[in-house]
């Protein structure tokens, strides 16, 4: 099995509605530079130990810098029964498309 994929343009509609659960799997050093507002930071290496922190009641969008790491995590979560989508192009595509970003660590 493999998780589905969405573009940042497809994600933005869900994000604007506030209904998107977005997990950023980059490292904290990457995350602080710029991230999608409201995303949940769970670095790729911590996904298994933080599995309980990932919502199971809705679609979860997985994002990294360009889509490689997030594709791996999305496929893993899909195999665990999560309804997930990999965000193609990742945070870099989000920024290039002119969507808003935040900086710093989560509160």
């Amino acid at each position: 099995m493999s998780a589905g994929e969405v573009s940042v343009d497809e994600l933005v509609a869900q994000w604007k509605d506030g209904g998107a659960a977005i997990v950023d799997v980059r490292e904290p050093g990457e995350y602080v530079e710029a991230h999608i507002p409201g995303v949940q930071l769970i670095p790729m290496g911590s996904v298994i130990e933080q599995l309980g922190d990932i919502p199971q009641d809705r679609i979860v969008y997985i994002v990294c810098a360009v889509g490689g790491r997030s594709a791996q995590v999305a496929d893993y979560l899909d195999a665990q029964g999560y309804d997930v989508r990999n965000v193609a192009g990742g945070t870099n595509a989000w920024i290039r498309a002119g969507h808003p970003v935040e900086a710093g660590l989560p509160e």
Side-chain angles (χ1 to χ4, degrees):
M1 287 180 20
S2 121
E5 188 169 83
V6 298
S7 69
V8 293
D9 291 333
E10 292 170 298
L11 173 60
V12 78
Q14 295 296 316
W15 174 81
K16 283 183 177 179
D17 288 344
I22 307 170
V23 175
D24 190 325
V25 297
R26 297 176 300 155
E27 293 301 312
E30 296 171 279
Y31 178 91
V32 298
E33 300 271 324
H35 56 268
I36 299 168
V39 299
Q40 177 181 7
L41 175 63
I42 301 179
M44 183 178 186
S46 302
V47 167
I48 292 173
E49 63 195 38
Q50 290 188 256
L51 209 53
D53 295 335
I54 300 171
Q56 289 186 290
D57 60 344
R58 55 190 160 161
I59 297 173
V60 178
Y61 299 88
I62 308 297
V63 65
C64 65
V66 295
R69 289 173 284 181
S70 57
Q72 293 177 46
V73 171
D75 285 346
Y76 171 76
L77 292 173
D78 180 65
Q80 305 308 307
Y82 286 81
D83 190 359
V84 293
R85 306 290 183 277
N86 179 45
V87 179
T91 303
N92 291 352
W94 179 273
I95 293 168
R96 278 193 310 274
H99 300 304
V101 293
E102 292 179 339
L105 287 171
E107 295 179 12

